[in-house]
Amino acid sequence: RFSRAMGQTANDYLLLCRIERAMQLMRHSASTIAEIALAVGYGNEASFARAFRRKTGLSPSDWREANGPLTRL
């Protein structure tokens, strides 16, 4: 039912939600990538980085550098 209603599987939808939330956190917080990975539901930074790269084509660090307005200390 979910796939018919949403046009994607529940797993794909969850992945998209996690990646979008991670992008918000990377853009608007000073949290580390590891902290963000845990906050969006990944057990470790490596699995988060793989999923993020598959969805965006960039590593989380590269994405943050290109898109995050926060100046790194």
Side-chain angles (χ1 to χ4, degrees), residues 38-72:
L38 293 173
V40 298
Y42 286 89
N44 61 61
E45 187 176 353
S47 61
F48 168 66
R50 280 191 301 274
F52 192 92
R53 185 181 294 274
R54 275 195 311 270
K55 205 66 173 168
T56 67
L58 295 171
S59 71
S61 297
D62 289 343
W63 188 92
R64 182 180 239 177
E65 188 175 311
N67 296 284
L70 294 176
T71 302
R72 307 312 297 164

PDB file of all heavy atoms in Angstrom, residues 38-72:
ATOM      1  N   LEU A  38      24.191   9.443  14.128  1.00  0.00           N
ATOM      2  CA  LEU A  38      23.399   8.854  15.216  1.00  0.00           C
ATOM      3  C   LEU A  38      22.034   9.524  15.335  1.00  0.00           C
ATOM      4  O   LEU A  38      21.025   8.860  15.542  1.00  0.00           O
ATOM      5  CB  LEU A  38      24.156   8.950  16.533  1.00  0.00           C
ATOM      6  CG  LEU A  38      25.430   8.108  16.635  1.00  0.00           C
ATOM      7  CD1 LEU A  38      26.161   8.425  17.929  1.00  0.00           C
ATOM      8  CD2 LEU A  38      25.114   6.635  16.532  1.00  0.00           C
ATOM      9  N   ALA A  39      21.997  10.841  15.178  1.00  0.00           N
ATOM     10  CA  ALA A  39      20.744  11.580  15.321  1.00  0.00           C
ATOM     11  C   ALA A  39      19.706  11.205  14.265  1.00  0.00           C
ATOM     12  O   ALA A  39      18.504  11.269  14.533  1.00  0.00           O
ATOM     13  CB  ALA A  39      21.013  13.090  15.262  1.00  0.00           C
ATOM     14  N   VAL A  40      20.164  10.813  13.082  1.00  0.00           N
ATOM     15  CA  VAL A  40      19.216  10.469  12.012  1.00  0.00           C
ATOM     16  C   VAL A  40      18.987   8.965  11.893  1.00  0.00           C
ATOM     17  O   VAL A  40      18.334   8.506  10.959  1.00  0.00           O
ATOM     18  CB  VAL A  40      19.622  11.080  10.648  1.00  0.00           C
ATOM     19  CG1 VAL A  40      19.635  12.593  10.723  1.00  0.00           C
ATOM     20  CG2 VAL A  40      20.936  10.524  10.145  1.00  0.00           C
ATOM     21  N   GLY A  41      19.514   8.202  12.846  1.00  0.00           N
ATOM     22  CA  GLY A  41      19.156   6.794  12.920  1.00  0.00           C
ATOM     23  C   GLY A  41      20.162   5.792  12.420  1.00  0.00           C
ATOM     24  O   GLY A  41      19.822   4.624  12.239  1.00  0.00           O
ATOM     25  N   TYR A  42      21.392   6.205  12.183  1.00  0.00           N
ATOM     26  CA  TYR A  42      22.430   5.260  11.766  1.00  0.00           C
ATOM     27  C   TYR A  42      23.249   4.852  12.979  1.00  0.00           C
ATOM     28  O   TYR A  42      23.522   5.663  13.850  1.00  0.00           O
ATOM     29  CB  TYR A  42      23.334   5.872  10.691  1.00  0.00           C
ATOM     30  CG  TYR A  42      22.640   5.942   9.352  1.00  0.00           C
ATOM     31  CD1 TYR A  42      21.884   7.047   9.002  1.00  0.00           C
ATOM     32  CD2 TYR A  42      22.699   4.882   8.462  1.00  0.00           C
ATOM     33  CE1 TYR A  42      21.215   7.101   7.795  1.00  0.00           C
ATOM     34  CE2 TYR A  42      22.036   4.933   7.256  1.00  0.00           C
ATOM     35  CZ  TYR A  42      21.293   6.033   6.925  1.00  0.00           C
ATOM     36  OH  TYR A  42      20.621   6.087   5.733  1.00  0.00           O
ATOM     37  N   GLY A  43      23.664   3.608  12.994  1.00  0.00           N
ATOM     38  CA  GLY A  43      24.430   3.088  14.122  1.00  0.00           C
ATOM     39  C   GLY A  43      25.876   3.529  14.134  1.00  0.00           C
ATOM     40  O   GLY A  43      26.518   3.522  15.182  1.00  0.00           O
ATOM     41  N   ASN A  44      26.378   3.929  12.966  1.00  0.00           N
ATOM     42  CA  ASN A  44      27.762   4.391  12.904  1.00  0.00           C
ATOM     43  C   ASN A  44      27.951   5.326  11.717  1.00  0.00           C
ATOM     44  O   ASN A  44      27.129   5.379  10.801  1.00  0.00           O
ATOM     45  CB  ASN A  44      28.740   3.206  12.844  1.00  0.00           C
ATOM     46  CG  ASN A  44      28.522   2.341  11.633  1.00  0.00           C
ATOM     47  OD1 ASN A  44      28.651   2.797  10.506  1.00  0.00           O
ATOM     48  ND2 ASN A  44      28.163   1.089  11.854  1.00  0.00           N
ATOM     49  N   GLU A  45      29.047   6.033  11.756  1.00  0.00           N
ATOM     50  CA  GLU A  45      29.338   7.035  10.742  1.00  0.00           C
ATOM     51  C   GLU A  45      29.574   6.414   9.367  1.00  0.00           C
ATOM     52  O   GLU A  45      29.193   6.988   8.341  1.00  0.00           O
ATOM     53  CB  GLU A  45      30.554   7.851  11.175  1.00  0.00           C
ATOM     54  CG  GLU A  45      30.862   9.020  10.300  1.00  0.00           C
ATOM     55  CD  GLU A  45      32.003   9.862  10.818  1.00  0.00           C
ATOM     56  OE1 GLU A  45      32.497   9.636  11.925  1.00  0.00           O
ATOM     57  OE2 GLU A  45      32.421  10.773  10.077  1.00  0.00           O
ATOM     58  N   ALA A  46      30.190   5.238   9.325  1.00  0.00           N
ATOM     59  CA  ALA A  46      30.510   4.606   8.046  1.00  0.00           C
ATOM     60  C   ALA A  46      29.251   4.239   7.256  1.00  0.00           C
ATOM     61  O   ALA A  46      29.171   4.505   6.048  1.00  0.00           O
ATOM     62  CB  ALA A  46      31.379   3.374   8.266  1.00  0.00           C
ATOM     63  N   SER A  47      28.270   3.643   7.913  1.00  0.00           N
ATOM     64  CA  SER A  47      27.044   3.276   7.193  1.00  0.00           C
ATOM     65  C   SER A  47      26.275   4.522   6.758  1.00  0.00           C
ATOM     66  O   SER A  47      25.701   4.560   5.670  1.00  0.00           O
ATOM     67  CB  SER A  47      26.163   2.345   8.025  1.00  0.00           C
ATOM     68  OG  SER A  47      25.761   2.958   9.216  1.00  0.00           O
ATOM     69  N   PHE A  48      26.298   5.546   7.589  1.00  0.00           N
ATOM     70  CA  PHE A  48      25.674   6.813   7.206  1.00  0.00           C
ATOM     71  C   PHE A  48      26.365   7.398   5.980  1.00  0.00           C
ATOM     72  O   PHE A  48      25.709   7.818   5.025  1.00  0.00           O
ATOM     73  CB  PHE A  48      25.730   7.802   8.372  1.00  0.00           C
ATOM     74  CG  PHE A  48      25.383   9.209   7.987  1.00  0.00           C
ATOM     75  CD1 PHE A  48      24.107   9.531   7.559  1.00  0.00           C
ATOM     76  CD2 PHE A  48      26.331  10.215   8.045  1.00  0.00           C
ATOM     77  CE1 PHE A  48      23.779  10.832   7.191  1.00  0.00           C
ATOM     78  CE2 PHE A  48      26.015  11.507   7.692  1.00  0.00           C
ATOM     79  CZ  PHE A  48      24.743  11.828   7.262  1.00  0.00           C
ATOM     80  N   ALA A  49      27.697   7.414   5.984  1.00  0.00           N
ATOM     81  CA  ALA A  49      28.456   7.991   4.870  1.00  0.00           C
ATOM     82  C   ALA A  49      28.174   7.246   3.566  1.00  0.00           C
ATOM     83  O   ALA A  49      28.028   7.874   2.512  1.00  0.00           O
ATOM     84  CB  ALA A  49      29.944   7.985   5.186  1.00  0.00           C
ATOM     85  N   ARG A  50      28.086   5.919   3.624  1.00  0.00           N
ATOM     86  CA  ARG A  50      27.777   5.137   2.414  1.00  0.00           C
ATOM     87  C   ARG A  50      26.397   5.497   1.871  1.00  0.00           C
ATOM     88  O   ARG A  50      26.231   5.729   0.672  1.00  0.00           O
ATOM     89  CB  ARG A  50      27.851   3.643   2.707  1.00  0.00           C
ATOM     90  CG  ARG A  50      29.241   3.077   2.712  1.00  0.00           C
ATOM     91  CD  ARG A  50      29.238   1.552   2.737  1.00  0.00           C
ATOM     92  NE  ARG A  50      28.539   1.018   3.903  1.00  0.00           N
ATOM     93  CZ  ARG A  50      29.087   0.822   5.101  1.00  0.00           C
ATOM     94  NH1 ARG A  50      30.360   1.124   5.308  1.00  0.00           N
ATOM     95  NH2 ARG A  50      28.379   0.326   6.098  1.00  0.00           N
ATOM     96  N   ALA A  51      25.403   5.540   2.750  1.00  0.00           N
ATOM     97  CA  ALA A  51      24.040   5.875   2.322  1.00  0.00           C
ATOM     98  C   ALA A  51      23.975   7.299   1.788  1.00  0.00           C
ATOM     99  O   ALA A  51      23.328   7.560   0.759  1.00  0.00           O
ATOM    100  CB  ALA A  51      23.067   5.694   3.485  1.00  0.00           C
ATOM    101  N   PHE A  52      24.643   8.217   2.453  1.00  0.00           N
ATOM    102  CA  PHE A  52      24.630   9.620   2.038  1.00  0.00           C
ATOM    103  C   PHE A  52      25.262   9.763   0.657  1.00  0.00           C
ATOM    104  O   PHE A  52      24.730  10.442  -0.217  1.00  0.00           O
ATOM    105  CB  PHE A  52      25.382  10.475   3.067  1.00  0.00           C
ATOM    106  CG  PHE A  52      25.174  11.944   2.887  1.00  0.00           C
ATOM    107  CD1 PHE A  52      24.155  12.589   3.566  1.00  0.00           C
ATOM    108  CD2 PHE A  52      25.976  12.687   2.042  1.00  0.00           C
ATOM    109  CE1 PHE A  52      23.944  13.956   3.390  1.00  0.00           C
ATOM    110  CE2 PHE A  52      25.779  14.042   1.867  1.00  0.00           C
ATOM    111  CZ  PHE A  52      24.754  14.678   2.545  1.00  0.00           C
ATOM    112  N   ARG A  53      26.394   9.094   0.443  1.00  0.00           N
ATOM    113  CA  ARG A  53      27.087   9.175  -0.850  1.00  0.00           C
ATOM    114  C   ARG A  53      26.233   8.569  -1.965  1.00  0.00           C
ATOM    115  O   ARG A  53      26.186   9.108  -3.071  1.00  0.00           O
ATOM    116  CB  ARG A  53      28.439   8.492  -0.788  1.00  0.00           C
ATOM    117  CG  ARG A  53      29.253   8.667  -2.071  1.00  0.00           C
ATOM    118  CD  ARG A  53      30.594   7.976  -2.017  1.00  0.00           C
ATOM    119  NE  ARG A  53      31.493   8.541  -1.041  1.00  0.00           N
ATOM    120  CZ  ARG A  53      32.296   9.580  -1.251  1.00  0.00           C
ATOM    121  NH1 ARG A  53      32.288  10.196  -2.416  1.00  0.00           N
ATOM    122  NH2 ARG A  53      33.106  10.009  -0.310  1.00  0.00           N
ATOM    123  N   ARG A  54      25.556   7.456  -1.678  1.00  0.00           N
ATOM    124  CA  ARG A  54      24.684   6.843  -2.693  1.00  0.00           C
ATOM    125  C   ARG A  54      23.570   7.795  -3.107  1.00  0.00           C
ATOM    126  O   ARG A  54      23.195   7.866  -4.265  1.00  0.00           O
ATOM    127  CB  ARG A  54      24.063   5.548  -2.169  1.00  0.00           C
ATOM    128  CG  ARG A  54      24.919   4.328  -2.340  1.00  0.00           C
ATOM    129  CD  ARG A  54      24.145   3.038  -2.139  1.00  0.00           C
ATOM    130  NE  ARG A  54      23.337   2.987  -0.938  1.00  0.00           N
ATOM    131  CZ  ARG A  54      23.758   2.533   0.256  1.00  0.00           C
ATOM    132  NH1 ARG A  54      24.982   2.096   0.403  1.00  0.00           N
ATOM    133  NH2 ARG A  54      22.943   2.524   1.284  1.00  0.00           N
ATOM    134  N   LYS A  55      23.040   8.536  -2.151  1.00  0.00           N
ATOM    135  CA  LYS A  55      21.897   9.409  -2.429  1.00  0.00           C
ATOM    136  C   LYS A  55      22.319  10.748  -3.035  1.00  0.00           C
ATOM    137  O   LYS A  55      21.596  11.308  -3.849  1.00  0.00           O
ATOM    138  CB  LYS A  55      21.122   9.642  -1.134  1.00  0.00           C
ATOM    139  CG  LYS A  55      19.696   9.986  -1.342  1.00  0.00           C
ATOM    140  CD  LYS A  55      18.958   8.823  -1.947  1.00  0.00           C
ATOM    141  CE  LYS A  55      17.487   9.101  -2.010  1.00  0.00           C
ATOM    142  NZ  LYS A  55      16.781   8.152  -2.834  1.00  0.00           N
ATOM    143  N   THR A  56      23.475  11.281  -2.618  1.00  0.00           N
ATOM    144  CA  THR A  56      23.855  12.626  -3.044  1.00  0.00           C
ATOM    145  C   THR A  56      25.054  12.684  -3.988  1.00  0.00           C
ATOM    146  O   THR A  56      25.279  13.700  -4.628  1.00  0.00           O
ATOM    147  CB  THR A  56      24.202  13.498  -1.825  1.00  0.00           C
ATOM    148  OG1 THR A  56      25.389  12.991  -1.209  1.00  0.00           O
ATOM    149  CG2 THR A  56      23.059  13.557  -0.836  1.00  0.00           C
ATOM    150  N   GLY A  57      25.855  11.622  -4.004  1.00  0.00           N
ATOM    151  CA  GLY A  57      27.072  11.627  -4.813  1.00  0.00           C
ATOM    152  C   GLY A  57      28.264  12.249  -4.110  1.00  0.00           C
ATOM    153  O   GLY A  57      29.346  12.325  -4.677  1.00  0.00           O
ATOM    154  N   LEU A  58      28.064  12.714  -2.872  1.00  0.00           N
ATOM    155  CA  LEU A  58      29.138  13.336  -2.095  1.00  0.00           C
ATOM    156  C   LEU A  58      29.224  12.683  -0.726  1.00  0.00           C
ATOM    157  O   LEU A  58      28.229  12.189  -0.205  1.00  0.00           O
ATOM    158  CB  LEU A  58      28.859  14.825  -1.891  1.00  0.00           C
ATOM    159  CG  LEU A  58      28.836  15.721  -3.114  1.00  0.00           C
ATOM    160  CD1 LEU A  58      28.318  17.097  -2.729  1.00  0.00           C
ATOM    161  CD2 LEU A  58      30.220  15.829  -3.719  1.00  0.00           C
ATOM    162  N   SER A  59      30.397  12.767  -0.131  1.00  0.00           N
ATOM    163  CA  SER A  59      30.509  12.349   1.261  1.00  0.00           C
ATOM    164  C   SER A  59      29.823  13.410   2.118  1.00  0.00           C
ATOM    165  O   SER A  59      29.675  14.567   1.683  1.00  0.00           O
ATOM    166  CB  SER A  59      31.978  12.230   1.658  1.00  0.00           C
ATOM    167  OG  SER A  59      32.570  13.518   1.754  1.00  0.00           O
ATOM    168  N   PRO A  60      29.420  13.068   3.325  1.00  0.00           N
ATOM    169  CA  PRO A  60      28.809  14.076   4.191  1.00  0.00           C
ATOM    170  C   PRO A  60      29.732  15.283   4.422  1.00  0.00           C
ATOM    171  O   PRO A  60      29.269  16.428   4.394  1.00  0.00           O
ATOM    172  CB  PRO A  60      28.545  13.325   5.494  1.00  0.00           C
ATOM    173  CG  PRO A  60      28.400  11.904   5.077  1.00  0.00           C
ATOM    174  CD  PRO A  60      29.363  11.732   3.938  1.00  0.00           C
ATOM    175  N   SER A  61      31.013  15.036   4.602  1.00  0.00           N
ATOM    176  CA  SER A  61      31.957  16.136   4.825  1.00  0.00           C
ATOM    177  C   SER A  61      32.056  17.046   3.609  1.00  0.00           C
ATOM    178  O   SER A  61      32.067  18.278   3.735  1.00  0.00           O
ATOM    179  CB  SER A  61      33.339  15.587   5.171  1.00  0.00           C
ATOM    180  OG  SER A  61      33.295  14.864   6.362  1.00  0.00           O
ATOM    181  N   ASP A  62      32.138  16.443   2.412  1.00  0.00           N
ATOM    182  CA  ASP A  62      32.208  17.251   1.193  1.00  0.00           C
ATOM    183  C   ASP A  62      30.922  18.041   0.986  1.00  0.00           C
ATOM    184  O   ASP A  62      30.944  19.202   0.582  1.00  0.00           O
ATOM    185  CB  ASP A  62      32.475  16.368  -0.029  1.00  0.00           C
ATOM    186  CG  ASP A  62      33.887  15.813  -0.047  1.00  0.00           C
ATOM    187  OD1 ASP A  62      34.770  16.333   0.679  1.00  0.00           O
ATOM    188  OD2 ASP A  62      34.117  14.839  -0.797  1.00  0.00           O
ATOM    189  N   TRP A  63      29.776  17.404   1.261  1.00  0.00           N
ATOM    190  CA  TRP A  63      28.505  18.101   1.113  1.00  0.00           C
ATOM    191  C   TRP A  63      28.441  19.287   2.071  1.00  0.00           C
ATOM    192  O   TRP A  63      28.033  20.382   1.695  1.00  0.00           O
ATOM    193  CB  TRP A  63      27.331  17.149   1.374  1.00  0.00           C
ATOM    194  CG  TRP A  63      26.015  17.781   1.043  1.00  0.00           C
ATOM    195  CD1 TRP A  63      25.358  17.715  -0.141  1.00  0.00           C
ATOM    196  CD2 TRP A  63      25.223  18.620   1.902  1.00  0.00           C
ATOM    197  NE1 TRP A  63      24.200  18.449  -0.070  1.00  0.00           N
ATOM    198  CE2 TRP A  63      24.093  19.020   1.167  1.00  0.00           C
ATOM    199  CE3 TRP A  63      25.359  19.071   3.208  1.00  0.00           C
ATOM    200  CZ2 TRP A  63      23.122  19.838   1.702  1.00  0.00           C
ATOM    201  CZ3 TRP A  63      24.388  19.888   3.738  1.00  0.00           C
ATOM    202  CH2 TRP A  63      23.271  20.268   2.989  1.00  0.00           C
ATOM    203  N   ARG A  64      28.841  19.057   3.309  1.00  0.00           N
ATOM    204  CA  ARG A  64      28.794  20.125   4.311  1.00  0.00           C
ATOM    205  C   ARG A  64      29.711  21.274   3.906  1.00  0.00           C
ATOM    206  O   ARG A  64      29.344  22.439   4.023  1.00  0.00           O
ATOM    207  CB  ARG A  64      29.199  19.602   5.676  1.00  0.00           C
ATOM    208  CG  ARG A  64      29.123  20.666   6.749  1.00  0.00           C
ATOM    209  CD  ARG A  64      29.527  20.116   8.086  1.00  0.00           C
ATOM    210  NE  ARG A  64      28.431  20.268   9.020  1.00  0.00           N
ATOM    211  CZ  ARG A  64      28.441  19.838  10.253  1.00  0.00           C
ATOM    212  NH1 ARG A  64      29.470  19.178  10.723  1.00  0.00           N
ATOM    213  NH2 ARG A  64      27.410  20.044  11.043  1.00  0.00           N
ATOM    214  N   GLU A  65      30.883  20.958   3.409  1.00  0.00           N
ATOM    215  CA  GLU A  65      31.818  21.995   2.989  1.00  0.00           C
ATOM    216  C   GLU A  65      31.237  22.840   1.856  1.00  0.00           C
ATOM    217  O   GLU A  65      31.399  24.061   1.827  1.00  0.00           O
ATOM    218  CB  GLU A  65      33.134  21.357   2.538  1.00  0.00           C
ATOM    219  CG  GLU A  65      34.222  22.361   2.262  1.00  0.00           C
ATOM    220  CD  GLU A  65      35.537  21.686   1.949  1.00  0.00           C
ATOM    221  OE1 GLU A  65      35.932  20.784   2.710  1.00  0.00           O
ATOM    222  OE2 GLU A  65      36.158  22.072   0.951  1.00  0.00           O
ATOM    223  N   ALA A  66      30.532  22.199   0.935  1.00  0.00           N
ATOM    224  CA  ALA A  66      29.955  22.906  -0.198  1.00  0.00           C
ATOM    225  C   ALA A  66      28.646  23.619   0.129  1.00  0.00           C
ATOM    226  O   ALA A  66      28.319  24.614  -0.506  1.00  0.00           O
ATOM    227  CB  ALA A  66      29.712  21.916  -1.351  1.00  0.00           C
ATOM    228  N   ASN A  67      27.903  23.144   1.113  1.00  0.00           N
ATOM    229  CA  ASN A  67      26.547  23.644   1.345  1.00  0.00           C
ATOM    230  C   ASN A  67      26.282  24.236   2.713  1.00  0.00           C
ATOM    231  O   ASN A  67      25.271  24.896   2.902  1.00  0.00           O
ATOM    232  CB  ASN A  67      25.537  22.519   1.130  1.00  0.00           C
ATOM    233  CG  ASN A  67      25.525  22.041  -0.278  1.00  0.00           C
ATOM    234  OD1 ASN A  67      24.981  22.701  -1.150  1.00  0.00           O
ATOM    235  ND2 ASN A  67      26.164  20.910  -0.543  1.00  0.00           N
ATOM    236  N   GLY A  68      27.115  23.962   3.668  1.00  0.00           N
ATOM    237  CA  GLY A  68      26.866  24.438   5.018  1.00  0.00           C
ATOM    238  C   GLY A  68      27.389  25.846   5.228  1.00  0.00           C
ATOM    239  O   GLY A  68      28.542  26.116   4.953  1.00  0.00           O
ATOM    240  N   PRO A  69      26.547  26.748   5.700  1.00  0.00           N
ATOM    241  CA  PRO A  69      26.992  28.124   5.905  1.00  0.00           C
ATOM    242  C   PRO A  69      27.849  28.307   7.157  1.00  0.00           C
ATOM    243  O   PRO A  69      28.479  29.332   7.323  1.00  0.00           O
ATOM    244  CB  PRO A  69      25.686  28.900   6.052  1.00  0.00           C
ATOM    245  CG  PRO A  69      24.733  27.905   6.603  1.00  0.00           C
ATOM    246  CD  PRO A  69      25.147  26.581   6.009  1.00  0.00           C
ATOM    247  N   LEU A  70      27.895  27.278   8.013  1.00  0.00           N
ATOM    248  CA  LEU A  70      28.668  27.414   9.238  1.00  0.00           C
ATOM    249  C   LEU A  70      30.155  27.448   8.936  1.00  0.00           C
ATOM    250  O   LEU A  70      30.657  26.669   8.131  1.00  0.00           O
ATOM    251  CB  LEU A  70      28.403  26.250  10.187  1.00  0.00           C
ATOM    252  CG  LEU A  70      26.989  26.165  10.759  1.00  0.00           C
ATOM    253  CD1 LEU A  70      26.860  24.904  11.596  1.00  0.00           C
ATOM    254  CD2 LEU A  70      26.682  27.369  11.598  1.00  0.00           C
ATOM    255  N   THR A  71      30.852  28.327   9.552  1.00  0.00           N
ATOM    256  CA  THR A  71      32.292  28.374   9.432  1.00  0.00           C
ATOM    257  C   THR A  71      32.869  27.364  10.403  1.00  0.00           C
ATOM    258  O   THR A  71      32.532  27.353  11.578  1.00  0.00           O
ATOM    259  CB  THR A  71      32.830  29.779   9.761  1.00  0.00           C
ATOM    260  OG1 THR A  71      32.213  30.706   8.885  1.00  0.00           O
ATOM    261  CG2 THR A  71      34.328  29.832   9.622  1.00  0.00           C
ATOM    262  N   ARG A  72      33.699  26.472   9.923  1.00  0.00           N
ATOM    263  CA  ARG A  72      34.303  25.472  10.781  1.00  0.00           C
ATOM    264  C   ARG A  72      35.376  26.125  11.631  1.00  0.00           C
ATOM    265  O   ARG A  72      36.142  26.941  11.168  1.00  0.00           O
ATOM    266  CB  ARG A  72      34.920  24.342   9.948  1.00  0.00           C
ATOM    267  CG  ARG A  72      34.003  23.699   8.940  1.00  0.00           C
ATOM    268  CD  ARG A  72      32.651  23.298   9.430  1.00  0.00           C
ATOM    269  NE  ARG A  72      32.709  22.303  10.456  1.00  0.00           N
ATOM    270  CZ  ARG A  72      31.711  22.005  11.261  1.00  0.00           C
ATOM    271  NH1 ARG A  72      30.583  22.652  11.160  1.00  0.00           N
ATOM    272  NH2 ARG A  72      31.814  21.092  12.163  1.00  0.00           N
TER     273      ARG A  72
END
